[in-house]
Amino acid sequence: MSDDGSIQGEQEPNLSVPEVVTKYKAAADICNRALQAVIDGCKDGAKIVDLCRTGDNFINKECGNIYKGKQIEKGVAFPTCVSVNSVVGHFSPNADDAAALKAGDVVKIDMGCHIDGFIATQATTVVVQAGAEAITGRAADVIAAARTAFDAAVRLIRPGKHISDVAGPLQKIAEAYGCNMVEGVMSHEMKQFVIDGSKCILNKPTPDQKVEDAEFEENEVYAIDIVISTGEGKPRVLDEKETTVYKRALEVAYQLKMQASRTVFSLINSSFATMPFTLRALLDEAANQKTELKVGQLKLGLVECLNHGLLHPYPVLHEKGGELVAQIKGTVLLMPNGSSIVTTAVRQPVSSEKKLEDKEILDLLTTTVSAKSAKKKRNKDKAATATPAPPAAVDA
């Protein structure tokens, strides 16, 4: 590690470097607490844009409290998105948006944090309700399906197994709960400053959508992303104007024509060079840097950047109206001694009338994830099967 706190060296840093693991866990800790702050705010009448700000502000503030004096990048790795009911994802509205939660809404919260480019990203699904009673009905079905599929995926994405091993069991789990995996959703390998690596798992392969098979290896990091719908699982864009989340396309270069576009692109390169960002955050950064850009100019500049492939948009996706969508995502480190799930979220109780009965998958779900938990299980089993000691002698 260099004096400024960043990881240096010719080889790509991975989990074999202790400081890398420390930074992943530090990012995850902040992400976990930021997620809980947003969950706590999910009440009847809460404005969605305020919830998104809560998540992003929490991450940026807490990142400012660690590695002080070190010249390393840190902060939001994926902007907080709050997507409700049939909205599949990527909803992080502009400041003037009035959308608010109401009782009974099924709410997906998605966010990410990074320390020196080492990313922890996660998502969970909650239902807006006043009490702590168990969730029932179709909301319970889809949330239980997403949780179970995530738990299975964590056990399938581990060294020695293959990408092709994952999708089949996930769809079986979704179907057991009367649901479907959402098409197009991928779980990506992550590396330093890379949130969507080329090694990825397509949760629901189709004739038109496939990925290359490969073996999972030690010291890899994955964002395991599970999205399940009570509907057909075929998301679509209803309005491109809803898109507010973007990421710089680092592999593309183009000489922009308009001055406003060049100013916008310079702002993106200086403040959001590698991680996704929202239009809201871009406007805030423009104000911080005291640029002369107006909102209209900024949006016009974005259009030219998009038209020439300089940015990747994250469009707001929708399932059919009336359907419910649940998401569970977590960051998993494939350590030599077992997998480590570094992101966690409190799970509301659910009571689904549907049940998973596939024996092979049920057996999979009983297997341990980490070496630590495996050792604990072995000790428990050993204690249960040990021959009882003879009773101690009693003095006459």
Side-chain angles (χ1 to χ4, degrees):
M1 185 175 72
S2 68
D3 293 338
D4 65 2
S6 62
I7 307 293
Q8 292 189 341
E10 292 183 4
Q11 289 188 332
E12 192 174 72
N14 61 30
L15 300 179
S16 64
V17 181
E19 183 64 16
V20 170
V21 178
T22 298
K23 288 179 177 179
Y24 272 118
K25 290 183 175 180
D29 175 65
I30 292 173
C31 200
N32 292 339
R33 290 185 287 125
L35 183 67
Q36 188 58 52
V38 178
I39 291 172
D40 291 343
C42 286
K43 303 181 187 307
D44 188 9
K47 288 181 65 176
I48 291 178
V49 66
D50 292 340
L51 294 170
C52 293
R53 280 188 173 133
T54 294
D56 292 348
N57 291 344
F58 188 103
I59 289 172
N60 285 325
K61 180 182 177 182
E62 292 300 310
C63 283
N65 293 331
I66 61 175
Y67 290 95
K68 289 183 176 180
K70 305 293 186 181
Q71 296 299 311
I72 63 173
E73 294 182 43
K74 51 189 176 175
V76 173
F78 193 84
T80 304
C81 296
V82 176
S83 307
V84 179
N85 296 331
S86 62
V87 181
V88 177
H90 304 155
F91 190 74
S92 190
N94 292 324
D96 58 354
D97 193 285
L101 302 183
K102 62 182 184 300
D105 278 346
V106 175
V107 183
K108 295 164 289 296
I109 308 164
D110 190 3
M111 61 173 61
C113 172
H114 81 97
I115 306 294
D116 194 22
F118 298 105
I119 303 161
T121 181
Q122 70 166 316
T124 195
T125 301
V126 299
V127 173
V128 179
Q129 56 185 23
E133 63 274 11
I135 300 161
T136 59
R138 291 300 275 154
D141 295 340
V142 74
I143 292 172
R147 291 176 180 176
T148 306
F150 177 84
D151 292 344
V154 168
R155 290 162 170 81
L156 291 166
I157 298 173
R158 56 198 316 172
K161 291 186 178 291
H162 292 78
I163 288 172
S164 57
D165 298 330
V166 180
L170 300 188
Q171 182 59 23
K172 286 181 181 179
I173 291 168
E175 290 173 356
Y177 288 93
C179 300
N180 275 296
M181 301 299 297
V182 173
E183 292 181 8
V185 177
M186 293 185 178
S187 296
H188 286 273
E189 182 187 8
M190 297 192 293
K191 299 181 180 181
Q192 188 179 25
F193 291 109
V194 179
I195 197 169
D196 51 0
S198 57
K199 195 171 183 179
C200 56
I201 305 99
L202 187 61
N203 290 350
K204 188 178 181 180
T206 67
D208 298 327
Q209 294 179 316
K210 295 180 181 179
V211 295
E212 185 177 345
D213 196 16
E215 184 176 327
F216 302 114
E217 300 177 16
E218 285 185 2
N219 296 321
E220 293 179 337
V221 178
Y222 285 88
I224 299 180
D225 193 4
I226 303 296
V227 186
I228 292 181
S229 171
T230 59
E232 295 180 356
K234 296 181 178 180
R236 61 198 187 283
V237 179
L238 296 183
D239 185 356
E240 291 184 356
K241 292 179 181 178
E242 284 187 310
T243 304
T244 61
V245 181
Y246 306 92
K247 184 170 75 74
R248 171 78 171 90
L250 295 173
E251 71 281 4
V252 179
Y254 178 78
Q255 185 61 46
L256 294 161
K257 302 296 188 292
M258 297 192 303
Q259 179 59 45
S261 302
R262 293 195 292 272
T263 302
V264 168
F265 193 55
S266 175
L267 194 62
I268 292 169
N269 280 330
S270 64
S271 303
F272 309 102
T274 56
M275 302 295 176
F277 61 92
T278 60
L279 180 58
R280 214 174 47 249
L282 189 60
L283 284 166
D284 290 344
E285 193 59 32
N288 291 340
Q289 295 191 20
K290 296 180 171 57
T291 68
E292 300 296 325
L293 276 178
K294 306 295 184 185
V295 175
Q297 292 176 305
L298 190 146
K299 289 184 177 179
L300 196 62
L302 275 178
V303 169
E304 188 179 7
C305 290
L306 286 164
N307 286 343
H308 295 287
L310 295 173
L311 299 175
H312 290 302
Y314 289 77
V316 177
L317 300 171
H318 296 260
E319 174 61 282
K320 288 182 179 178
E323 302 293 353
L324 300 175
V325 179
Q327 179 184 24
I328 302 291
K329 178 164 64 174
T331 299
V332 180
L333 315 184
L334 304 191
M335 305 291 290
N337 62 343
S339 298
S340 176
I341 309 169
V342 292
T343 50
T344 59
V346 174
R347 292 183 172 185
Q348 290 175 308
V350 299
S351 180
S352 172
E353 294 182 359
K354 300 185 183 300
K355 186 179 179 181
L356 176 65
E357 296 181 340
D358 186 293
K359 186 179 184 305
E360 189 174 347
I361 297 175
L362 290 172
D363 288 345
L364 171 70
L365 291 169
T366 65
T367 60
T368 54
V369 174
S370 68
K372 185 177 180 181
S373 59
K375 182 178 179 181
K376 187 183 294 184
K377 185 176 185 299
R378 285 196 300 271
N379 289 341
K380 184 177 179 181
D381 292 343
K382 186 177 179 181
T385 58
T387 303
V394 179
D395 291 336

